[in-house]
Amino acid sequence: MDDSMKRLLQRLIRRIPAQMLKTTLDKWGRLTAAQKRSMDFTEPKWALTEKLMAIYEENGWTGKHITELEMTYIIDNPNQGMWYAFQLMDPEDDAHSVELTHFKEHFKSHLSELVRPVSIKIKKHTDEAVWIRIAWGDSFSRPNHLKPTYVVHHLQTPYVFVTSLTSKQKPLLSQALVLSTRHQAIKDANLSGRKLGAIRDLLMRQYQQVFPTNYPSPLAERNETVSNPQIEKEQVKCAENRLQMACEAFGDGVLPQLQSSVYKLETKFKDHSNKTMTEREQPFRCVVKFASTNLLESLRHCASSGIASTPVTPLLSSIPLKGRNYFVITDNGPGPSSQTRQTQN
Amino acid sequence: MSLLKPFSKLPALNTANILLVESEEQFQQSLADSLVEETSVTVNVRLAKSLPLPVKNEESRPRIDLVVFIINLTSELSFQSAEASLKYLDPGYFLGKVCFMVTNARNASVPTERLDAVRKLAASLHCPLLFAEDQTPGGVTNATERLLTMLKVAAGLVPMATALYLSHLTRCTVPPDIDQPSFD
């Protein structure tokens, strides 16, 4: 038992990059001042690991402390691995008054009833987010601390963000969440990404939005790059309109850093020059993926520079509007089905 | 159809007006900044994404002496937009007052057919075809100098030279074996 905890500590130290080790340990706050002074952070990692193992023995730490350290590290550096967003549906009457202690008790008890043994750690972060770390065990083995699941939930919102969850664990977690937040169902929000902050900002609309207005003067004023009177732009109005529509669709200023968007098409093949494919009855399946370092920024630029036609097509504008980046598109029935497309779950 | 006409307005003293048409609206800005720095002549630059130009600017627009179509060879859209804009020019412009400027010709991802198509277009209209490098300040300066040479002639500011005469010397020609496969 002690051995596995030691191994856990070793793996954790190896995982934390050298430059973050000092700050993480300070934030964790379990080292005494003397111990902190004795740690020389210019030494190589293996030397630091050995020192920390010695301090582990000295202070009598347990697994709880190590998982606490891991959680501290992950909370500060959440952008590792893929985060998936879920949405809670059909709130009951008292869903809006669920507060922290109530949520904690109920979540722990519900999840322990479903899975035994399980190790749950809940912590409230300063920005109103509740972080949950779950190490799953089953009837044959102890909780596996090497592959924990992290869950982030903002109380009183219907959004939950999860990372490292297997398909076996998913129904158990869903059940526990639904019961402890007083909702009736949970569904996949079809939004995933590496940056937790970005998908959270997108889903909760925490970026600057632009609303249709008759007097778009703020944006027009910001577009004053041409100050020389000898240079004159002919089509200023068109450019302004495009910029306004692009910003209405995607937002203004700095946008959440979404990295990809996937469209799964199950539509009939339409190309008049290719008769054999067009005559097939079954839908043509293909997947289109857009990837970028900042996808929303690129799409906004496409719309404002005229590469994508404005008004912005709903295929692109539903990424920020509906807060999702995975779409399944099917034909909407017979007739001019190339015009009518429907997104469905 | 609102055609842009070359001689329907009076010229101004010691002034030359140039219209830069570019679908992407990138290179035209740096070219414009560089063109207005010319001191011997007052250069007015008008920027557009495509033709036709908006009717409401008709009154305030001066007589355009030279129309330059900037085509980015890496984009098919750029070429198609320039081609589509050609029909909004009065035929009088094609007597030496239109020029094609092409960027990114050295880029490996450009299909050879596109450059050939631009060449054929320029040759069929008897217009010069210039190649420019838009990423460096040196390239922008170079392109500016060449445009200024043509602009001064087209505006009538160079004695003994007219735009039609210059275009006979500078117009793009297509080698007779352009449709043969090359040895790439």
Side-chain angles (χ1 to χ4, degrees):
Chain A
M1 196 188 324
D2 231 32
D3 258 348
S4 70
M5 284 305 138
K6 279 195 187 161
R7 246 183 308 130
L8 186 63
L9 179 61
Q10 265 176 332
R11 278 180 74 139
L12 181 58
I13 304 295
R14 213 181 309 154
R15 190 177 164 191
I16 302 179
Q19 56 267 50
M20 312 219 126
L21 197 50
K22 184 166 192 325
T23 35
T24 315
L25 286 173
D26 286 341
K27 258 210 188 105
W28 185 39
R30 293 244 177 216
L31 294 174
T32 65
Q35 285 165 341
K36 271 194 226 173
R37 279 193 298 267
S38 74
M39 299 269 303
D40 178 10
F41 288 96
T42 55
E43 282 176 19
K45 269 273 188 76
W46 56 265
L48 291 171
T49 318
E50 289 191 5
K51 199 159 264 164
L52 277 169
M53 302 284 272
I55 300 180
Y56 174 89
E57 296 292 345
E58 204 182 298
N59 286 5
W61 287 337
T62 61
K64 255 182 51 163
H65 299 102
I66 316 251
T67 53
E68 202 180 53
L69 176 59
E70 188 192 272
M71 221 168 148
T72 317
Y73 171 61
I74 297 284
I75 292 180
D76 281 336
N77 306 284
N79 299 335
Q80 306 165 21
M82 287 293 276
W83 287 89
Y84 297 90
F86 292 89
Q87 189 167 354
L88 297 157
M89 314 286 290
D90 307 324
E92 313 226 346
D93 295 327
D94 53 351
H96 297 291
S97 56
V98 170
E99 43 86 47
L100 186 62
T101 37
H102 174 272
F103 174 72
K104 269 165 96 157
E105 276 170 28
H106 284 243
F107 184 78
K108 281 190 174 154
S109 65
H110 285 304
L111 196 59
S112 320
E113 267 172 50
L114 294 167
V115 180
R116 220 175 283 150
V118 70
S119 157
I120 309 174
K121 213 169 183 61
I122 304 190
K123 184 166 170 192
K124 175 135 190 266
H125 196 46
T126 42
D127 69 347
E128 304 302 317
V130 179
W131 281 74
I132 309 173
R133 177 188 188 276
I134 307 170
W136 306 84
D138 56 30
S139 34
F140 303 108
S141 54
R142 300 204 48 85
N144 182 1
H145 283 283
L146 300 174
K147 294 205 174 85
T149 301
Y150 278 91
V151 178
V152 179
H153 174 49
H154 289 253
L155 286 174
Q156 282 124 31
T157 67
Y159 304 115
V160 181
F161 307 98
V162 183
T163 181
S164 315
L165 187 70
T166 66
S167 47
K168 283 215 185 85
Q169 298 156 350
K170 191 162 153 186
L172 306 168
L173 178 63
S174 311
Q175 174 99 335
L177 278 170
V178 161
L179 291 170
S180 52
T181 56
R182 310 286 293 144
H183 284 77
Q184 284 178 21
I186 187 170
K187 74 166 178 140
D188 192 354
N190 286 322
L191 177 65
S192 63
R194 292 195 83 88
K195 298 205 168 171
L196 175 63
I199 58 174
R200 187 195 56 213
D201 288 343
L202 185 67
L203 212 45
M204 306 217 274
R205 307 281 188 119
Q206 282 171 354
Y207 53 93
Q208 199 172 355
Q209 316 225 338
V210 174
F211 299 98
T213 159
N214 263 333
Y215 303 101
S217 41
L219 281 180
E221 274 158 17
R222 198 122 33 88
N223 219 9
E224 288 299 324
T225 44
V226 175
S227 49
N228 195 326
Q230 284 171 259
I231 305 177
E232 183 147 341
K233 286 192 169 171
E234 290 275 348
Q235 288 143 338
V236 186
K237 203 80 194 13
C238 292
E240 274 174 15
N241 281 349
R242 279 200 308 262
L243 180 61
Q244 173 75 11
M245 286 202 265
C247 286
E248 273 175 33
F250 295 105
D252 199 17
V254 177
L255 298 175
Q257 275 192 310
L258 204 58
Q259 266 113 14
S260 72
S261 165
V262 174
Y263 295 87
K264 197 160 148 207
L265 302 173
E266 283 170 17
T267 50
K268 278 196 62 123
F269 191 91
K270 278 173 195 60
D271 181 8
H272 297 294
S273 55
N274 192 339
K275 278 268 173 298
T276 32
M277 288 300 291
T278 319
E279 277 161 11
R280 288 232 180 126
E281 276 310 311
Q282 305 98 324
F284 181 71
R285 289 159 196 273
C286 91
V287 173
V288 178
K289 180 172 176 180
F290 290 94
S292 159
T293 40
N294 190 339
L295 185 70
L296 292 174
E297 183 81 50
S298 332
L299 291 176
R300 184 176 64 184
H301 184 256
C302 274
S304 67
S305 66
I307 298 174
S309 58
T310 45
V312 182
T313 160
L315 287 173
L316 294 177
S317 63
S318 32
I319 300 176
L321 195 66
K322 297 196 183 144
R324 49 189 294 189
N325 68 354
Y326 177 77
F327 299 90
V328 176
I329 301 174
T330 56
D331 286 325
N332 199 12
S337 39
S338 56
Q339 310 304 324
T340 51
R341 270 174 285 206
Q342 196 176 41
T343 55
Q344 78 192 100
N345 276 347
Chain B
M1 204 151 61
S2 56
L3 291 181
L4 193 62
K5 293 191 169 31
F7 296 113
S8 55
K9 299 189 187 186
L10 293 175
L13 209 54
N14 206 29
T15 309
N17 305 305
I18 186 171
L19 173 66
L20 301 176
V21 181
E22 183 190 8
S23 162
E24 275 140 14
E25 297 180 302
Q26 297 276 16
F27 188 32
Q28 62 182 199
Q29 190 61 51
S30 40
L31 261 184
D33 292 332
S34 183
L35 279 166
V36 298
E37 283 169 17
E38 171 68 11
T39 46
S40 60
V41 171
T42 311
V43 178
N44 290 324
V45 184
R46 313 282 289 195
L47 305 176
K49 189 177 161 85
S50 63
L51 299 177
L53 299 178
V55 175
K56 65 177 172 64
N57 291 349
E58 187 69 38
E59 301 294 314
S60 58
R61 195 181 307 135
R63 184 181 90 161
I64 302 286
D65 297 309
L66 184 66
V67 180
V68 183
F69 288 96
I70 300 174
I71 299 177
N72 183 348
L73 278 181
T74 53
S75 153
E76 183 68 25
L77 185 64
S78 181
F79 175 49
Q80 286 172 350
S81 165
E83 225 181 344
S85 303
L86 286 170
K87 49 179 169 310
Y88 294 99
L89 277 184
D90 185 272
Y93 266 107
F94 292 101
L95 299 172
K97 286 175 176 280
V98 173
C99 149
F100 287 90
M101 179 169 271
V102 150
T103 60
N104 282 325
R106 286 186 285 200
N107 196 316
S109 61
V110 169
T112 40
E113 298 81 33
R114 204 172 289 157
L115 180 53
D116 286 347
V118 176
R119 282 187 121 132
K120 285 187 192 166
L121 180 65
S124 69
L125 296 169
H126 301 286
C127 299
L129 177 64
L130 301 179
F131 290 84
E133 202 262 281
D134 58 336
Q135 303 290 337
T136 61
V140 174
T141 320
N142 198 325
T144 312
E145 279 168 28
R146 299 167 78 193
L147 281 182
L148 277 172
T149 321
M150 294 182 59
L151 177 62
K152 285 183 197 171
V153 173
L157 300 168
V158 177
M160 303 302 177
T162 63
L164 187 55
Y165 183 53
L166 188 63
S167 75
H168 272 292
L169 301 176
T170 57
R171 72 177 193 187
C172 178
T173 51
V174 164
D177 60 349
I178 194 168
D179 287 322
Q180 307 293 327
S182 62
F183 289 103
D184 282 337

